[in-house]
């Protein structure tokens, strides 16, 4: 990966999320999420709609500031790093961040140049090849199918060789063959030492691909048991357990003379116990 | 902490109340302005109100800047309190101004420099409140940007309106204050300042308590 | 600085390319501005002749309305496929992104201005170009000031609710000096006895406004764009 400016020299091997909360007024999007991810890991963010997966990815991409808690890239916070950190981030949002009026090649070229690539033409050609879109390079994105856009957008977000790859629902609209290619692409990123965080619903696709999974529910992490069975079964069990545990605790809290005051007064006291990925 | 601030706000409230109680006596014994009659007395109310509006605008603008660049939530709460006061005092000024203008200039509204400036600033801070109300989550930061722009706009609007207006015939001269009127006038300014501080502090504490309530609710939600 | 210009140029070139493919914003805003001129002529024409000096107001108000429409659309487009976040994530000075978007809007408004000025001059036989440098200077400086404040507000409103109505709500109170100065500066140029000193004063005032608010916009863009 050629660095074209001195700010490109920053790199990191580890991503640490410590007790990150984000709320909008009274609305909570994330609540004390903690996780650690290292180079060469693919981590799944699982959970129902509105669980906070996209918000978490937004926080990790430095687009959203956490209300509380810290995110460390290596051992430094985003605030200190600015543009040098953004050079190491690849982010594919659910909306694909492509300009439909531009051709596939123009989209890629624009972003390659924006990232200060010195030889954008070669970079674009390689990306088009990866996306199997070389023969469609001159066609406008508005005429592409969702799957083609998805492949293009993925290569767009990987164009600059990021260390941290954040993917929001990347399997939407992909056909079976594309999914296979995509999974291979992710394995390649893992081999290259990327940290990949992947928010998804498609548990069957990512089963066996993920090194670890973090389940989010209503903005909180929920422990995912490591008992046998497929990822889907474990996920179902985890969410069901959490629903029961939560309603039980709410139940206790409403009992007169219940243990409200007895619970830990310090915020952040017990999140470690609940976070599977902190180990 | 609450007991101390509670005691202080009672003191402040008492000071403001006493000052406002005394003000009518001072105004009544101030010299009667011959040409304008009784209406001239509105200056003791009207002008201090404008002073407070400008004070509110600068408090709002500066604390918005602090919020924007230092991300202190307390600064945002002070800013929104000040913005509401800017709109309130602005509305008071815009209501009392025409009463005087009707007698002095023969029209409810004249495109006078100060009137126009006041109208534009009032609109800026109404826009601030609209943005906060309808902008959805995250609009606190956006409104901070607007307040900062609004503050820097004050001198530019003043100059532009001033030159624009001189193109039109000027109607009358605002009466200057004699020495015997200055005493009651400044008394009224101080009374309004005391009122301003009481209201700002009260509104800010309300905002603090709302924030605390939100925090507790979130903590409860997180725990259970 | 070279890097800022490079990025601004990239963003501008991208916007030109996108717009040249659809021409949506250019065509709709030009049409809208022209219909504003038409509506105003109903208001300001008495017995076949325009009220004296009304042309200046017509030009500036039509421009402001068209500019507001263009601003809204320009950022709606970035928002549509979440492209704005893609831009913000680029490892560049964020002010440069802002500069690029601003230049695109200024360019677009300039094209609309050509049409509006042409039509007003045609309909009312207004001697806009009696003093071409001052007139173009007023238009250029006014456009930059209006679009500068507008681009910042439109960008920051990109993640707000009801942004379509909030943009004009925020925009006009702040850009009042530009409109006052633009209308009166142009008026000083087109009246029977042109007052060049007054026009220069208004031009200077707009330039001062531009300096203050462009600085402020570059300075606040970064914190305003972080959610």
């Amino acid at each position: 990966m050629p660095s074209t400016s001195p700010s490109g020299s920053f790199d990191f091997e580890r991503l640490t999320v410590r007790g990150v909360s984000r709320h909008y007024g009274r609305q909570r999007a994330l609540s004390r999420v903690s996780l650690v991810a290292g180079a060469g890991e693919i981590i799944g963010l699982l959970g129902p709609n509105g669980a906070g997966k996209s918000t978490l990815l937004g926080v990790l991409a430095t687009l959203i500031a956490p209300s509380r808690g810290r995110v460390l890239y290596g051992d430094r916070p985003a605030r200190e790093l600015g543009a040098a950190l953004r050079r190491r981030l690849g982010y594919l949002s659910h909306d694909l961040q492509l300009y439909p009026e531009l051709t596939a090649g123009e989209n890629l070229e624009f972003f390659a140049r924006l990232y200060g690539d010195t030889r954008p033409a070669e970079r674009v050609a390689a990306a088009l090849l990866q996306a199997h879109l070389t023969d469609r390079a001159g066609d406008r994105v508005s005429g592409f199918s969702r799957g083609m856009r998805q492949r293009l957008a993925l290569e767009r977000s990987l164009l600059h060789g990021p260390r941290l790859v954040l993917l929001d629902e990347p399997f939407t609209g992909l056909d079976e063959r594309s999914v296979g290619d995509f999974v291979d692409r992710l394995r390649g990123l893992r081999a290259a030492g990327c940290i990949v965080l992947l928010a998804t619903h498609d548990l069957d696709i990512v089963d066996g691909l993920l090194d670890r999974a973090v389940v989010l529910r209503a903005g909180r992490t929920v422990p995912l048991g490591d008992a046998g069975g497929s990822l889907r079964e474990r996920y179902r069990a985890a969410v069901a357990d959490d629903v029961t545990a939560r309603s039980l605790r709410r139940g206790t809290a409403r009992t007169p003379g219940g243990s409200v005051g007895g619970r830990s007064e310090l915020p952040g006291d017990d999140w470690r116990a609940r976070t599977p990925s902190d180990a | 902490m609450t007991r101390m601030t509670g005691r202080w706000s009672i003191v402040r409230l008492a000071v403001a109340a006493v000052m406002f109680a005394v003000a009518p006596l001072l105004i009544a014994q101030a010299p009667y302005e011959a040409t304008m009659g009784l209406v001239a007395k509105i200056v003791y109310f009207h002008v201090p109100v404008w002073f407070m509006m400008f004070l509110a605008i600068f408090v709002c603008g500066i604390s918005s800047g602090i919020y924007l660049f230092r991300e202190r939530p307390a600064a945002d709460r002070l800013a929104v309190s000040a913005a509401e006061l800017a709109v309130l005092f602005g509305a008071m000024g815009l209501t009392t101004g025409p009463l005087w203008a009707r007698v002095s200039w023969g029209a409810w509204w004249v495109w006078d420099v100060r009137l126009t400036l006041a109208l534009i600033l009032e609109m800026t801070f109404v826009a601030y409140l609209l943005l906060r109300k309808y902008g959805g989550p995250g609009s606190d930061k956006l409104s901070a940007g607007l307040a900062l722009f609004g503050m820097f706009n004050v001198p530019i609007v003043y100059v532009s309106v001033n030159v624009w207006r001189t193109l039109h015939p000027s109607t009358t001269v605002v009466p200057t204050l004699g020495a015997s009127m200055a005493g009651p006038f400044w008394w009224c300014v101080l009374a309004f300042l005391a009122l301003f501080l009481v209201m700002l502090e009260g509104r800010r504490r309300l905002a603090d308590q709302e924030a605390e309530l939100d925090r507790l609710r979130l903590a409860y939600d997180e725990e259970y | 600085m070279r890097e800022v210009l490079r990025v601004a140029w990239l963003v501008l070139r991208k916007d030109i390319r996108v717009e040249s493919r659809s021409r949506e914003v250019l065509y709709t805003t030009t049409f809208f501005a022209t219909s504003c001129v038409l509506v105003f002529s109903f208001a300001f024409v008495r017995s076949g002749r325009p009220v004296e000096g009304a042309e200046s107001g017509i030009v500036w108000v039509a421009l402001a309305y068209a500019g507001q429409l263009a601003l809204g659309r320009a950022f709606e487009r970035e928002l549509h496929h979440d492209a704005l976040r893609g831009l913000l994530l680029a490892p560049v000075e964020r002010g440069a992104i802002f500069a690029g978007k601003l230049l695109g809007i200024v360019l677009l408004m300039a094209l609309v201005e050509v049409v509006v000025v042409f039509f007003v001059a045609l309909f009312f036989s207004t001697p806009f170009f009696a003093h071409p440098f001052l007139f173009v200077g007023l238009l250029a400086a006014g456009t930059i000031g209006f679009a500068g404040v507008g681009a910042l507000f439109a960008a920051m409103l990109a993640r707000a609710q009801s942004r379509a109505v909030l943009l004009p709500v925020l925009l006009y109170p702040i850009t009042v000096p530009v409109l006052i100065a633009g209308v009166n500066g142009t008026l000083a140029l087109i009246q029977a006895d042109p007052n060049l000193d007054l026009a220069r004063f208004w031009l200077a005032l707009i330039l001062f406004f531009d300096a203050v608010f462009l600085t402020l916009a570059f300075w606040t863009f970064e914190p305003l764009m972080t959610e």
Side-chain angles (χ1 to χ4, degrees):
Chain A
M1 155 91 207
S3 328
T4 47
S5 77
S7 65
S9 55
F10 171 76
D11 200 4
F12 58 99
E13 299 272 308
R14 176 182 277 273
L15 170 75
T16 313
V17 181
R18 268 192 214 145
V20 163
S21 299
R22 170 72 214 208
H23 32 82
Y24 298 93
R26 273 183 194 177
Q27 255 185 325
R28 181 194 48 199
L30 286 177
S31 166
R32 294 187 213 153
V33 172
S34 294
L35 61 91
V36 177
E41 275 192 302
I42 301 180
I43 296 177
L45 294 177
L46 314 178
N49 281 331
K53 303 189 295 286
S54 296
T55 310
L56 180 56
L57 290 181
V59 169
L60 298 182
T62 72
L63 289 166
I64 302 175
S67 310
R68 215 169 297 169
R70 275 152 71 78
V71 181
L72 297 176
Y73 303 85
D75 51 5
R76 296 169 71 187
R79 189 179 274 271
E80 285 177 16
L81 297 163
L85 172 62
R86 294 204 290 272
R87 184 173 293 282
R88 290 293 183 204
L89 296 180
Y91 172 66
L92 170 60
S93 82
H94 187 58
D95 297 315
L96 297 173
Q97 301 168 329
L98 297 169
Y99 295 97
E101 295 90 348
L102 299 184
T103 68
E106 285 166 344
N107 265 296
L108 292 174
E109 200 208 325
F110 171 63
F111 281 101
R113 286 184 190 277
L114 203 54
Y115 278 81
D117 204 312
T118 42
R119 283 177 298 174
E122 290 167 35
R123 184 69 51 140
V124 170
L128 285 168
L129 198 64
Q130 276 283 0
H132 305 296
L133 287 171
T134 306
D135 51 337
R136 303 290 303 266
D139 294 350
R140 288 191 201 174
V141 170
S142 53
F144 283 16
S145 69
R146 171 80 195 187
M148 290 161 76
R149 289 181 197 206
Q150 195 80 37
R151 287 181 344 238
L152 182 64
L154 175 74
E155 292 310 323
R156 209 279 298 147
S157 65
L158 298 177
L159 209 54
H160 53 288
R163 164 71 71 181
L164 177 61
V165 180
L166 305 164
L167 306 171
D168 201 346
E169 302 288 353
F171 299 109
T172 316
L174 290 186
D175 59 27
E176 227 160 281
R177 193 191 127 214
S178 302
V179 167
D181 286 345
F182 195 100
V183 167
D184 288 343
R185 187 83 172 96
L186 291 183
R187 292 212 165 96
L189 292 176
R190 169 162 57 194
C194 290
I195 307 169
V196 181
L197 272 94
L198 172 72
T200 184
H201 280 111
D202 301 288
L203 300 181
D204 298 330
I205 297 175
V206 294
D207 200 356
L209 170 72
L210 300 181
D211 295 298
R212 263 181 304 131
V214 175
V215 178
L216 282 173
R217 190 175 161 265
R220 299 168 313 125
T221 48
V222 169
L224 182 67
D226 44 13
S230 70
L231 185 62
R232 182 174 291 280
E233 285 159 10
R234 286 161 63 205
Y235 169 76
R236 285 227 175 104
V239 171
D241 282 355
D242 184 60
V243 172
T244 330
R246 221 169 128 80
S247 57
L248 270 179
R249 283 201 285 178
R250 280 190 186 272
T252 4
R254 291 208 185 95
T255 318
S259 54
V260 184
R263 295 205 55 85
S264 78
E265 306 257 277
L266 293 172
D269 229 26
D270 66 346
W271 54 262
R272 283 170 196 285
R274 287 200 260 123
T275 312
S277 47
D278 195 52
Chain B
M1 164 229 158
T2 31
R3 191 179 299 169
M4 270 308 282
T5 50
R7 194 171 297 162
W8 268 110
S9 55
I10 288 170
V11 170
R12 264 193 294 252
L13 191 60
V15 168
V18 168
M19 291 195 77
F20 270 95
V22 174
L25 305 174
L26 293 175
I27 295 170
Q29 58 99 51
Y32 197 77
E33 219 252 336
T35 48
M36 292 289 300
L38 191 60
V39 178
K41 301 267 187 193
I42 209 166
V43 77
Y44 298 106
F45 181 90
H46 182 70
V47 179
V49 157
W50 284 132
F51 286 1
M52 293 312 121
M53 186 202 197
F54 282 103
L55 183 61
I57 287 172
F58 282 96
V59 170
C60 180
I62 289 165
S63 42
S64 290
I66 293 172
Y67 179 57
L68 213 51
F69 288 98
R70 297 266 181 276
E71 308 216 335
R72 303 259 158 78
D76 180 51
R77 298 198 286 272
L78 186 63
V80 69
S81 312
E84 284 181 11
L85 288 182
V87 171
L88 179 71
F89 283 107
M92 284 158 75
L94 285 171
T95 333
T96 49
L99 294 180
W100 182 79
R102 184 76 183 87
V103 175
S104 171
W105 293 333
W108 292 109
W109 184 268
V110 171
W111 291 98
D112 167 72
V113 193
R114 272 156 283 211
L115 261 66
T116 314
L117 173 65
L119 182 65
I120 292 165
L121 294 178
E122 177 78 357
M123 286 179 68
T124 307
F125 283 86
V126 170
Y128 176 101
L129 297 182
L130 286 174
L131 174 57
R132 282 191 90 100
K133 185 160 173 55
Y134 299 109
S139 52
D140 45 350
K141 241 184 191 172
L142 312 186
S143 58
L146 178 66
L148 208 56
F149 274 58
M151 182 177 73
F152 279 95
N153 215 12
V154 172
I156 306 179
V157 175
Y158 182 79
V159 171
S160 58
V161 176
N162 199 11
V163 177
W164 165 55
R165 203 199 61 94
T166 52
L167 297 174
H168 300 270
S170 64
T171 39
T172 176
V173 184
V174 178
T176 45
L177 289 173
S180 51
M181 290 162 84
F185 174 75
W186 287 108
W187 177 271
C188 290
V189 170
L190 288 177
F192 270 100
L193 182 63
L195 178 69
F196 175 84
L197 291 175
V198 168
M199 291 174 83
L200 184 68
E201 181 60 17
R203 180 62 184 86
R204 194 184 64 80
R205 280 178 64 198
L206 180 64
D208 285 352
Q209 283 165 353
E210 280 170 356
E212 177 66 5
L213 199 62
D214 283 353
R215 198 189 64 74
L216 289 173
R217 241 179 90 120
L218 283 164
Y220 174 85
D221 252 21
E222 282 178 353
E223 210 62 32
Y224 298 101
Chain C
M1 193 60 205
R2 256 190 63 198
E3 175 67 8
V4 170
L5 290 178
R6 185 187 74 85
V7 172
W9 164 239
L10 267 177
V11 174
L12 173 65
R13 201 181 59 168
K14 184 267 298 173
D15 277 354
I16 292 174
R17 197 175 269 171
V18 168
E19 181 56 32
S20 68
R21 298 270 161 87
S22 73
R23 302 197 195 96
E24 177 206 342
V25 184
L26 180 63
Y27 287 167
T28 51
T29 43
T30 309
F31 181 83
F32 178 68
T34 316
S35 43
C36 280
V37 173
L38 187 69
V39 171
F40 282 125
S41 46
F42 297 142
F44 295 120
V45 175
R46 298 273 176 277
S47 57
R49 300 196 65 84
V51 175
E52 200 194 324
E55 304 100 304
S56 162
I58 293 174
V59 168
W60 282 90
V61 175
L63 286 183
Y65 284 177
Q68 174 207 324
L69 201 70
L71 283 163
R73 269 308 290 160
F75 282 91
E76 204 61 41
R77 194 178 256 166
E78 289 292 349
L79 217 59
H80 191 212
H81 296 279
D82 206 17
L84 188 59
R85 285 178 133 193
L87 286 182
L88 292 177
L89 268 178
V92 295
E93 191 81 43
R94 285 192 175 157
I97 307 267
F98 172 73
K101 294 301 295 179
L102 171 60
L103 288 174
I105 288 160
V106 168
L107 193 64
L108 194 84
M109 284 181 71
L111 294 176
V112 177
E113 277 161 21
V114 170
V115 177
V116 168
V117 168
F118 171 78
F119 275 118
V120 174
L122 185 76
F123 291 161
F124 304 105
S125 13
T126 313
F128 282 122
F129 287 96
H131 302 278
F133 290 112
L134 272 174
F135 178 62
V136 172
L138 279 168
L139 271 184
T143 306
I144 290 170
F146 185 84
V149 173
L152 181 77
F153 285 177
M156 76 181 197
L157 284 172
R159 61 168 201 274
Q161 290 163 11
S162 30
R163 55 180 163 273
V165 285
L166 283 174
L167 179 62
V169 164
L170 306 196
L171 190 55
Y172 291 112
I174 299 291
T175 53
V176 149
V178 172
L179 297 179
I180 292 178
V183 170
N184 288 290
T186 310
L187 201 60
L189 289 177
I190 61 172
Q191 61 200 11
D193 177 24
N195 185 344
L196 296 188
D197 281 342
L198 190 60
R200 281 193 201 100
F201 166 81
W202 286 119
L203 178 59
L205 186 96
I206 304 183
L207 289 173
F208 181 69
F209 178 95
D210 290 1
V212 170
F213 282 97
L214 284 183
T215 311
L216 212 51
F218 278 110
W219 189 46
T220 51
F221 187 71
E222 170 88 37
L224 281 175
M225 294 318 285
T226 309
E227 211 173 296

